[in-house]
Amino acid sequence: MPSEVEYANDGVKVYDSAGDLVGHFGYFEALADQIAAFSRPSVAYKQDGSQVAAGVPRYEAARFGQGIMIEEGTTNLAKTNGGATADFSNAIGWTAMGSGQSIANGVATLQSPNGTTVSGFQCTLTNLAQNTKHSFLIRARYKDGTGIAQVLSLDLNAPGYDNSEQELDVLTSQLTTASQNFKKDGFDSQSAPASVALRIFTFSTRPIEVEFVQLEQKAYATSFHDSTRAAEALTVPTTGVFTKGNWAIELIFNPTSIQNIGGRAGYLWFCYIDANNWYRIIITATGQFQISVSSGGLETGYTTALNPIVTPGTKYTIMFSGNGSVIRTCINGVQIASDISYTEPIGSPSANMYIGSDYIGGEQANGTIDDIRISSRARTLAEHQAYVNSGQPQTVDDATTLLMGMDGTLQPTVRGYGLKIIDGEIILAGELNAVGPSGDTALSISAQGDQGKIYFYDEGTSKGSIMINGASTSDLWLRGENGLYLDGGPTIAVGNYAGVTNPGIKFGGDITSDFMPHSDAAYSIGRSNRRWLNVRAQYVTSGDICFTETSCPVCGKPFSPGDAVTLLTHTVDPEKIMCLPIHDGCKNSSYEITAKVPDTVTRYRLNKDGDVEQYQATRTETVVETACRLRAGYILDEESGSFVKQGTSDAVTKDEALETYEVEVERPVYKSITIRSVKSEPEAATEEE
């Protein structure tokens, strides 16, 4: 087809001779008003143990940033039946077992004094449902590495009622100094007597900290709650978002509960019209995806082709689309079976689509949902694979009607109006401004003469810029109104140093100001294993002159306060001499000293006059070192010297706070030299003498 311009409802589209879209005036990404709605009429706990208020979503770590946790309601029988504070914020309801146990600062600490005396707590449950599936959940860790490790147990116990069926044992190979969740799904309460003890106990002399304990009357464990958590539901409107006859829904699901033992379905997405007409993505009672549409009571879709059982902790990237003729399903980069012919459901969708539950806010799938995108056309396998393989979150394009990243907000990204040039160039005469949702300028790009300038704003106030400064110098300036922070991960390269891989900062120019430490006599230049080769200055003013040698290489005796020191020259080159300190009394002794000095190689450089000059550089070799760094979420308290969790005062062990990594570093290559004493002959006596 010839090149053409199309005037569409969403702007002006320009196509090339092959029919490909090359420009779209009337398109850009923007945050819409919060059109999604979340409900949960109770508080809830996140995976890290922090509590969120009623009606506030639980944003949890997901494949891209954060996702929203959506679960069915639950009741923790330890609290509602046993009357015990399940998160150990106090000791109410708990009775001590044996010795060595305590409850303080939100943890129960268990430590047997001798390895034979039990240490634990228990509470009393009454009239526990018999012959019913229940589940255990406990969060625990070793407090430190002292003592002898033993199993941590959580069980139900009564005279004549002490079975392995109602017991969760956390093995010593499972417990570490990092807090972890442990669970037992679907155990049978069998013939539980009217009064049963819920016990947590150990014989370990290595101290164990328990952060919470949970008993649910469910065949699978859900996330922790201290008492009763209400069911959660998330909805988005259908008007302007879902287009019958040409549509696609994409999302990522990470289940947190076992899906095939509860005898119930779990809904991930439900666009409901009536009992006989709908679109949905669910997990069946047997733990398999069922992705289908129903038209007039005739269901069409994918079930038998989705045999693998959904596994907790596995992330599933799902795409389900239809174009009025065929539906298509892809999961984790693979199309499930082939396209299937279908008939669009009859009637108009209800006002809202449900994410994570059915149309009445029940039958939750239990897990985190992330990166939801709804489109006004069917998506292809190639598009799905490109997204899965990119390692990047979803983006808005001309078919996107809703995109929810779930990164700490329910505000979706939608299409707005602006300018998009595909694989081309924008020719700008004047200024291009990016305007935020508030109407304030956020970014400004302008051409002033033949020089470009970019300004950055925060709520309409300029905060920084990138610009060419002046026609005479043509310097590129980066300016921050309140400071400029360069964060390049392990390396910031200043100058022409592309491809730098080793940690550090490299300068390709001169420093033209004072080089000052933050405070007086508080910091060093170099360390014992990170030394500078040459430090040159016109003047060196120092309170003390220090040498790394602590003993005299001639006599072998250590230097002591008050010793006179002589510098023994061992190397002379065109630019410098190199010396060793020796006792002044040893300077006339006979000696033969072996010293190690950096080996050198000849290199060439360009001086400021444009001449190539020769110089001697230290010969180096690349070695791999193992180093330590703080894990994400941990800091070193510089006042106390303790490692703590970020945002808290909770001290943690070094093993918990640090991680090791390997890094390539350059080390100098040393050579050995021999220094021998040179004795001068006595001068001949003069006649006068």
Side-chain angles (χ1 to χ4, degrees):
M1 61 178 287
S3 302
E4 68 172 44
V5 176
E6 175 188 322
Y7 297 90
N9 291 332
D10 56 353
V12 179
K13 297 181 180 179
V14 182
Y15 298 85
D16 64 15
S17 58
D20 294 326
L21 182 68
V22 295
H24 188 172
F25 180 78
Y27 166 95
F28 77 109
E29 298 180 18
L31 286 175
D33 292 334
Q34 185 165 307
I35 59 176
F38 176 84
S39 67
R40 185 195 61 247
S42 75
V43 299
Y45 289 80
K46 296 179 64 176
Q47 301 281 54
D48 62 5
S50 60
Q51 188 185 98
V52 297
V56 176
R58 291 183 286 170
Y59 296 104
E60 300 283 5
R63 183 184 180 195
F64 301 117
Q66 294 178 310
I68 287 183
M69 173 81 82
I70 298 181
E71 289 186 300
E72 63 189 292
T74 194
T75 296
N76 189 346
L77 298 178
K79 178 65 174 289
T80 61
N81 186 317
T85 304
D87 65 356
F88 300 108
S89 55
N90 58 59
I92 294 174
W94 294 108
T95 302
M97 299 170 55
S99 63
Q101 65 284 106
S102 63
I103 294 177
N105 301 318
V107 296
T109 303
L110 313 179
Q111 184 178 22
S112 171
N114 50 28
T116 58
T117 301
V118 71
S119 179
F121 289 99
Q122 65 180 10
C123 64
T124 302
L125 308 172
T126 57
N127 298 319
L128 194 68
Q130 294 183 330
N131 303 309
T132 304
K133 296 295 184 183
H134 288 70
S135 66
F136 282 138
L137 178 67
I138 189 171
R139 184 171 178 84
R141 73 181 189 104
Y142 285 126
K143 183 178 180 180
D144 53 46
T146 62
I148 299 175
Q150 294 287 349
V151 171
L152 171 66
S153 297
L154 171 63
D155 75 354
L156 300 177
N157 179 268
Y161 182 72
D162 186 9
N163 306 313
S164 60
E165 173 70 13
Q166 296 90 30
E167 182 172 341
L168 166 62
D169 289 327
V170 183
L171 305 180
T172 57
S173 60
Q174 296 173 296
L175 274 173
T176 67
T177 54
S179 296
Q180 299 176 76
N181 291 350
F182 305 95
K183 64 180 180 178
K184 184 171 185 177
D185 293 305
F187 70 82
D188 196 326
S189 60
Q190 298 174 324
S191 299
S195 179
V196 175
L198 172 64
R199 309 186 302 176
I200 47 172
F201 62 92
T202 188
F203 291 92
S204 174
T205 60
R206 179 174 297 176
I208 298 174
E209 291 185 338
V210 181
E211 296 179 20
F212 63 71
V213 62
Q214 180 160 287
L215 172 65
E216 297 175 273
Q217 189 177 315
K218 292 183 182 296
Y220 46 84
T222 65
S223 66
F224 169 74
H225 194 80
D226 184 42
S227 181
T228 297
R229 182 185 65 239
E232 294 166 307
L234 175 66
T235 63
V236 295
T238 55
T239 302
V241 176
F242 187 79
T243 306
K244 283 191 63 180
N246 218 356
W247 49 270
I249 170 76
E250 299 167 274
L251 57 84
I252 300 174
F253 176 60
N254 183 5
T256 53
S257 295
I258 291 179
Q259 304 287 319
N260 64 330
I261 62 175
R264 57 182 287 279
Y267 280 69
L268 295 180
W269 172 69
F270 199 20
C271 183
Y272 182 80
I273 299 174
D274 58 41
N276 295 315
N277 296 276
W278 39 255
Y279 312 76
R280 71 184 187 184
I281 302 174
I282 71 170
I283 300 172
T284 67
T286 57
Q288 299 159 300
F289 286 114
Q290 180 174 306
I291 302 175
S292 57
V293 299
S294 177
S295 178
L298 176 63
E299 183 176 1
T300 305
Y302 306 83
T303 303
T304 57
L306 302 172
N307 285 324
I309 294 174
V310 176
T311 305
T314 300
K315 297 179 177 65
Y316 297 91
T317 302
I318 302 169
M319 186 273 285
F320 182 33
S321 68
N323 63 5
S325 299
V326 296
I327 52 176
R328 176 180 303 122
T329 292
C330 301
I331 299 178
N332 290 347
V334 178
Q335 181 167 346
I336 306 303
S338 57
D339 294 353
I340 298 177
S341 298
Y342 81 110
T343 302
E344 278 285 322
I346 302 168
S348 299
S350 57
N352 292 304
M353 291 176 282
Y354 280 76
I355 308 296
S357 72
D358 64 15
Y359 75 99
I360 57 174
E363 296 191 280
Q364 285 78 3
N366 295 337
T368 56
I369 298 177
D370 179 31
D371 223 26
I372 298 173
R373 183 169 73 168
I374 299 176
S375 305
S376 59
R377 66 167 174 83
R379 296 287 180 177
T380 65
L381 171 62
E383 287 178 299
H384 172 71
Q385 290 175 330
Y387 164 52
V388 171
N389 295 331
S390 71
Q392 299 295 321
Q394 292 278 23
T395 58
V396 167
D397 61 16
D398 59 337
T400 304
T401 56
L402 178 104
L403 174 60
M404 295 184 66
M406 309 294 194
D407 294 323
T409 178
L410 291 180
Q411 254 186 328
T413 304
V414 297
R415 284 186 298 153
Y417 292 98
L419 175 65
K420 180 179 182 180
I421 301 297
I422 302 172
D423 194 24
E425 176 180 47
I426 297 176
I427 299 176
L428 176 67
E431 188 173 280
L432 177 64
N433 292 327
V435 179
S438 65
D440 292 330
T441 298
L443 176 71
S444 174
I445 303 175
S446 62
Q448 299 185 13
D450 290 328
Q451 299 174 344
K453 297 191 177 183
I454 303 175
Y455 293 90
F456 300 89
Y457 298 85
D458 182 17
E459 296 182 350
T461 301
S462 176
K463 295 297 183 181
S465 58
I466 303 174
M467 67 179 71
I468 300 296
N469 182 53
S472 58
T473 62
S474 296
D475 296 329
L476 180 64
W477 278 25
L478 280 72
R479 177 183 177 86
E481 300 295 341
N482 298 319
L484 180 64
Y485 298 87
L486 301 178
D487 185 358
T491 299
I492 299 174
V494 181
N496 187 20
Y497 290 98
V500 172
T501 58
N502 289 332
I505 300 175
K506 293 191 176 182
F507 292 92
D510 299 330
I511 298 175
T512 58
S513 63
D514 290 342
F515 195 58
M516 306 290 290
H518 178 67
S519 32
D520 185 42
Y523 302 98
S524 301
I525 298 178
R527 293 184 179 179
S528 61
N529 63 343
R530 289 288 191 278
R531 296 175 295 175
W532 296 97
L533 174 60
N534 292 310
V535 178
R536 301 188 180 195
Q538 181 71 34
Y539 305 105
V540 177
T541 304
S542 173
D544 290 294
I545 299 176
C546 302
F547 298 93
T548 57
E549 292 80 8
T550 58
S551 60
C552 175
V554 175
C555 66
K557 296 179 181 180
F559 293 114
S560 301
D563 285 354
V565 171
T566 295
L567 295 180
L568 177 66
T569 300
H570 61 75
T571 300
V572 178
D573 66 32
E575 294 186 338
K576 62 183 179 296
I577 65 171
M578 301 172 68
C579 305
L580 285 173
I582 64 173
H583 282 122
D584 185 65
C586 294
K587 64 185 179 183
N588 294 319
S589 303
S590 296
Y591 53 81
E592 182 173 305
I593 304 170
T594 299
K596 288 186 176 181
V597 297
D599 196 8
T600 59
V601 291
T602 300
R603 293 285 187 264
Y604 297 89
R605 62 191 172 198
L606 192 67
N607 64 23
K608 64 180 181 179
D609 298 321
D611 298 324
V612 176
E613 63 181 13
Q614 177 180 304
Y615 72 101
Q616 295 298 306
T618 300
R619 186 190 302 275
T620 61
E621 62 182 356
T622 301
V623 297
V624 177
E625 288 187 347
T626 299
C628 290
R629 62 188 174 198
L630 288 164
R631 300 181 192 272
Y634 293 86
I635 60 173
L636 173 65
D637 186 331
E638 296 185 359
E639 294 184 359
S640 67
S642 300
F643 297 105
V644 297
K645 288 185 177 180
Q646 197 165 12
T648 73
S649 58
D650 300 335
V652 298
T653 64
K654 177 181 178 180
D655 290 342
E656 180 179 346
L658 298 182
E659 63 182 4
T660 60
Y661 67 101
E662 290 187 343
V663 60
E664 288 188 354
V665 297
E666 290 185 355
R667 290 288 194 205
V669 176
Y670 289 91
K671 64 180 180 181
S672 296
I673 61 171
T674 300
I675 311 165
R676 296 180 177 88
S677 58
V678 178
K679 288 192 175 281
S680 58
E681 295 295 331
E683 296 181 1
T686 63
E687 291 183 359
E688 294 180 358
E689 293 175 326

